[in-house]
């Protein structure tokens, strides 16, 4: 157990006018005095935005995290950072990834938080939040928003990749404009990010294989009640990680990065994985090169048949056992002794 004074006590634990100022204005939110008694303060870094539809359920998700933090004896404080939605933001969300990472880094560093829960969803929200958190290196856990339910249209499963097929169908006269509008609602029929193994799902699988989230983080659908359970349990774990002072740099080792590369090869993850993983490794100070991706991926079998390169959707992956099932298949390739955010090793999580 970490018996050092928590960093939040440099604000809330002060005597005299400084302590008065730090606590008094917080109390205008109805917070009782005992919340400032030295218990872990857990920041909930929220990328909720109605302009980031993939993350539009994050207010609810944050409430579940708070329930968990309170249950474990912590004090949750939610704060916003810039949110990057792939579908609306121009010219491209990638232009702002590093800007958001600075927003996250400074928001954490400048405020009285001992640990942080990162609420990540649409593509760039995961690497940007993780990069920022790595630069501060306090206890951190990731909760992803989860994929949408599989789309259903005219008796078929549909997802993001069908958008191009629909466009072709309209241009060739097979489909009319009214049917196209109907297909829009059929594809995006629940909260969550794209239901295929695109960048968002790849990033969610990345954090799970790095050991930065609880098991099943990547595939539980956003609309499934178990997504809220995962958020609640993650809030509890965030408090535990602070009590034990388990920081990002304790979990993000060269071995855990190798695990992420191996899992990504097995699930047919997005090529954007390479760009973002290299940036995260740079922030935490782990040596990683392009050559590593080639060397580590070469002999890894593709074990998941997921769109856009394959047939199935993220919801199907969850019912088939999710990333833990994938890791089970990869046991002989992985570093199974890597520690994860729930205090267990990788293999203890998936076996
Ligand atoms: Fe947000 Fe695809 S547009 S994950």
């Amino acid at each position: 157990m970490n018996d050092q004074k928590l960093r939040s006590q440099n604000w809330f634990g002060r005597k005299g006018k400084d302590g008065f100022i730090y606590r008094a204005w917080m109390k205008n939110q109805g917070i009782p005095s005992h919340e400032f008694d030295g218990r872990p303060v857990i920041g909930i870094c929220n990328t909720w935005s109605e302009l980031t539809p993939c993350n539009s359920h994050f207010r609810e998700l944050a409430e579940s995290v708070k329930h968990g933090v309170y249950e474990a004896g912590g004090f949750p404080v939610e704060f916003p950072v810039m949110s990057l939605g792939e579908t609306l933001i121009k010219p491209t969300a990638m232009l702002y990834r590093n800007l958001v990472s600075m927003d996250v880094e400074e928001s954490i560093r400048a405020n009285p938080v001992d640990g942080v829960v990162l609420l990540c969803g649409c593509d760039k929200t995961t690497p940007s939040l993780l990069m920022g958190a790595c630069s501060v290196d306090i206890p951190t856990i990731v909760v992803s928003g989860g994929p949408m339910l599989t789309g259903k249209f005219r008796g078929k499963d549909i997802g993001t990749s069908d958008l191009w097929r629909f466009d072709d169908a309209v241009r060739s006269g097979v489909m009319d404009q009214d049917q196209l509008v109907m297909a829009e609602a059929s594809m995006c029929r629940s909260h969550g990010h794209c239901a295929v193994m695109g960048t968002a799902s790849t990033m969610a699988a990345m954090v799970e294989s790095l050991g930065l989230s609880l098991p099943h983080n990547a595939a539980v659908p956003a609309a499934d009640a178990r997504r809220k359970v995962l958020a609640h349990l993650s809030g509890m774990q965030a408090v535990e990680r602070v009590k034990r002072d388990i920081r990002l740099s304790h979990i993000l080792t060269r071995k855990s990065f190798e695990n992420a590369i191996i899992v990504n090869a097995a699930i047919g993850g997005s090529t954007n994985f390479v760009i973002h993983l290299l940036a995260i490794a740079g922030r935490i100070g782990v040596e990683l090169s392009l050559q590593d991706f080639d060397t580590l991926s070469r002999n890894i079998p593709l074990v998941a048949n997921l769109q856009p390169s394959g047939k199935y959707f993220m919801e199907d992956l969850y019912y088939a056992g999710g990333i833990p099932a994938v890791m089970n298949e990869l046991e002989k390739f992985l570093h199974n002794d890597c520690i994860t955010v729930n205090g267990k090793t990788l293999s203890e999580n998936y076996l």
Side-chain angles (χ1 to χ4, degrees), residues 41 112 140 155 197 206 214 247 271 287 290 296 299 306 311 343:
V41 178
T140 300
M197 187 49 79
M206 175 190 77
L214 295 184
R247 296 159 188 240
T271 50
E287 290 281 332
L290 271 181
L296 291 159
N299 299 318
L306 292 163
K311 180 177 174 191

Side-chain angles (χ1 to χ4, degrees), residues 132-201:
C134 280
S135 294
V136 192
D137 195 22
I138 61 172
T140 300
I141 186 165
V142 179
V143 176
S144 299
M148 291 181 211
L149 295 174
T150 306
K152 305 280 180 189
F153 185 63
R154 293 171 156 181
K156 282 198 180 136
D157 288 348
I158 60 165
T160 312
S161 312
D162 289 287
L163 157 63
W164 283 269
R165 290 181 201 117
F166 292 146
D167 188 49
D168 287 346
V170 169
R171 285 191 295 134
S172 60
V174 175
M175 202 173 175
D176 64 26
Q177 192 59 33
D178 288 345
Q179 290 166 334
L180 186 72
V181 171
M182 225 187 296
E184 290 171 8
S186 308
M187 190 179 84
C188 298
R189 68 190 180 98
S190 83
H191 281 304
H193 57 69
C194 291
V196 298
M197 187 49 79
T199 302
S201 296

